[in-house]
Amino acid sequence: MLSSNYYSCEKIFNQEKKNIFFKYWIFAGFTFEFTKNKIVKKNILGMDLVFTFDGKSHHVFLNQCPHRFAELVAEEQCDRNLITCPYHGWSFKLNGVVNNIPFNQELYKLNSNNIGLHSIALNIVGKFMFINFAKRPIPLTKQFSTKIIDELISISNCIEESHTEVKQRYFNWKLIIDNLRDPLHPLFVHKKTLMQSVKSGLPGIPKWIPTFLLNIKSLSFGGLDVEIRKPDYAKLFKDPWNCSNRYFNLHLFPNVHIASADNGSTFVVEFFEPISANQTKINISYLLTKHNLRNYKLIQFLNRLTKSSNLVYEEDFSLLEKIQSKMNNNLIMMPSNGIYERMIERFHAVYRRILK
Ligand code: FES
Ligand SMILES: [Fe+2]
């Protein structure tokens, strides 16, 4: 298990940024956020980014002009077929190539073919978007198995829209990742909430896998889990994803969790974005499959869904914040408490290896 300084030391956090978050594919949103000529500004892992869709393809760029680094897009989102820099008026098409450099012939004499927006690697799996900040990104298939990619495509085929909430809490991102690999805690922490819809009892014991067989791909896993009761609102959804009355639980390395606790009617995608060693931004997207809900009925449903989910989140987050307050740099080892914690141990073993 990792010692407490891994959860509190800024030096280790910077190492994580370099060797994990700026090296591997990171979740960045959904394609259905974009209609033709839509430009969306996002800040992911402290990077100011511009996402565009020209009707054919999606692109991601640094939100900085290649000329003198002025901010290109100030609005959160807008509909435009060009990005124009406010500093000296250079304009760019939504695929990043130069559209026009005012007074180029008179004052600059630049070859605009050699200039363009700073592009960030983008990979689209179904409706899920992943970005990679590395100069030479690894193939996505080195990070996710075919099974995981197929699962994401299959979910994408059912989902139509998302509603996002953002929370910022005081705990290290790995505390929530560990927590999600701890199938025993719901019996205690979520006894009055999540566990009310779960039919079965104790979780199973994950099988032992020798450390040398573990790799990055093994850290993205999951699928159908414990048996659950169907919620009363399931009838509102016309074509849910087939969960066979089970809780769906998918973990994507490094920091995404996807779950469905209502037999595939809705999904939640949780993206745990590290802000510092002891702060995490939690981006929660509620994904809806095809439904009959219109106008205020949809708002009413979403209010109910987010309210019940927030009770569960609060149970976890308030507990994790208290654990975080005990984390310091005095190198006290967190003991392994038993074989059911093997999923956490696997995560820590590979994490240590790639952090070096
Ligand atoms: S900095 Fe953008 S045009 Fe000069
Ligand atoms: Fe929990």
Side-chain angles (χ1 to χ4, degrees):
M1 290 290 196
L2 295 174
S3 51
S4 66
N5 62 323
Y6 279 89
Y7 297 83
S8 56
C9 170
E10 288 298 332
K11 214 170 138 191
I12 292 177
F13 173 71
N14 288 332
Q15 220 175 322
E16 287 174 345
K17 265 188 134 174
K18 183 168 160 252
N19 292 346
I20 298 176
F21 295 105
F22 286 179
K23 193 166 166 190
Y24 292 96
W25 291 94
I26 301 296
F27 172 70
F30 303 97
T31 52
F32 51 71
E33 293 170 42
F34 299 86
T35 45
K36 191 178 174 186
N37 292 343
K38 184 123 184 172
I39 301 171
V40 178
K41 190 168 94 143
K42 294 190 185 206
N43 189 295
I44 299 178
L45 294 160
M47 302 295 279
D48 196 12
L49 305 171
V50 178
F51 286 64
T52 66
F53 179 56
D54 57 16
K56 280 193 189 132
S57 48
H58 293 262
H59 302 273
V60 186
F61 307 104
L62 290 185
N63 188 12
Q64 69 186 35
C65 180
H67 179 215
R68 304 272 302 156
F69 289 2
E71 183 189 49
L72 288 166
V73 178
E75 306 101 306
E76 288 309 304
Q77 45 179 288
C78 53
D79 287 285
R80 247 180 260 148
N81 60 359
L82 290 176
I83 297 174
T84 306
C85 178
Y87 203 177
H88 310 96
W90 291 22
S91 62
F92 304 87
K93 294 183 181 157
L94 297 194
N95 62 3
V97 305
V98 169
N99 174 67
N100 183 39
I101 297 179
F103 311 113
N104 190 18
Q105 290 318 313
E106 300 89 330
L107 301 175
Y108 297 94
K109 300 200 183 298
L110 292 170
N111 179 356
S112 59
N113 292 331
N114 298 332
I115 303 165
L117 298 184
H118 185 127
S119 184
I120 302 295
L122 171 70
N123 226 313
I124 294 173
V125 181
K127 291 174 182 165
F128 291 78
M129 299 169 88
F130 294 90
I131 55 170
N132 192 309
F133 293 113
K135 277 205 182 103
R136 278 189 297 278
I138 59 161
L140 190 78
T141 46
K142 285 222 158 145
Q143 186 169 329
F144 300 133
S145 66
T146 318
K147 183 181 173 282
I148 294 288
I149 290 173
D150 288 348
E151 207 90 277
L152 294 178
I153 293 171
S154 170
I155 294 169
S156 297
N157 290 337
C158 287
I159 53 172
E160 289 204 312
E161 58 184 297
S162 79
H163 300 267
T164 302
E165 276 190 2
V166 179
K167 302 169 191 292
Q168 199 154 316
R169 300 297 291 248
Y170 287 88
F171 53 78
N172 182 281
W173 68 280
K174 296 188 296 302
L175 272 189
I176 184 72
I177 300 297
D178 293 350
N179 182 65
L180 288 164
R181 282 153 182 71
D182 173 350
L184 185 57
H185 86 273
L187 267 66
F188 300 93
V189 180
H190 308 308
K191 196 158 57 181
K192 292 186 184 145
T193 53
L194 195 60
M195 287 310 287
Q196 293 295 313
S197 56
V198 173
K199 276 190 183 172
S200 37
L202 277 183
I205 293 173
K207 68 174 196 275
W208 181 73
I209 302 174
T211 312
F212 73 90
L213 284 182
L214 296 172
N215 55 24
I216 285 292
K217 276 191 192 176
S218 64
L219 296 187
S220 297
F221 63 98
L224 297 178
D225 207 314
V226 291
E227 214 181 327
I228 52 159
R229 292 182 186 88
K230 238 186 194 172
D232 56 356
Y233 61 75
K235 56 184 178 297
L236 301 171
F237 291 85
K238 294 185 253 179
D239 193 13
W241 197 72
N242 185 10
C243 274
S244 313
N245 295 325
R246 292 190 171 270
Y247 181 63
F248 178 79
N249 203 14
L250 191 71
H251 306 271
L252 300 186
F253 174 82
N255 56 345
V256 173
H257 176 232
I258 303 174
S260 177
D262 55 14
N263 214 25
S265 306
T266 70
F267 286 84
V268 67
V269 176
E270 299 150 359
F271 171 54
F272 304 104
E273 187 183 346
I275 301 295
S276 66
N278 58 14
Q279 263 189 81
T280 301
K281 191 163 104 188
I282 303 122
N283 305 268
I284 304 162
S285 302
Y286 295 93
L287 307 180
L288 305 190
T289 58
K290 288 188 192 82
H291 57 78
N292 297 316
L293 297 155
R294 295 289 164 262
N295 307 323
Y296 85 96
K297 290 236 161 162
L298 177 61
I299 297 169
Q300 215 174 26
F301 173 77
L302 283 168
N303 281 343
R304 190 182 145 189
L305 185 67
T306 51
K307 204 173 157 193
S308 60
S309 302
N310 279 331
L311 288 176
V312 181
Y313 287 130
E314 197 47 44
E315 288 167 343
D316 278 324
F317 297 165
S318 57
L319 190 138
L320 297 183
E321 282 186 334
K322 284 180 188 141
I323 296 178
Q324 183 68 37
S325 71
K326 308 286 187 295
M327 296 294 189
N328 52 43
N329 294 335
N330 66 6
L331 302 173
I332 295 169
M333 292 300 285
M334 290 178 72
S336 170
N337 292 324
I339 52 174
Y340 95 93
E341 289 185 324
R342 277 176 180 157
M343 282 193 289
I344 301 178
E345 284 173 353
R346 281 179 207 163
F347 167 54
H348 289 187
V350 181
Y351 164 88
R352 274 176 192 281
R353 205 186 300 152
I354 59 176
L355 193 66
K356 281 177 194 154

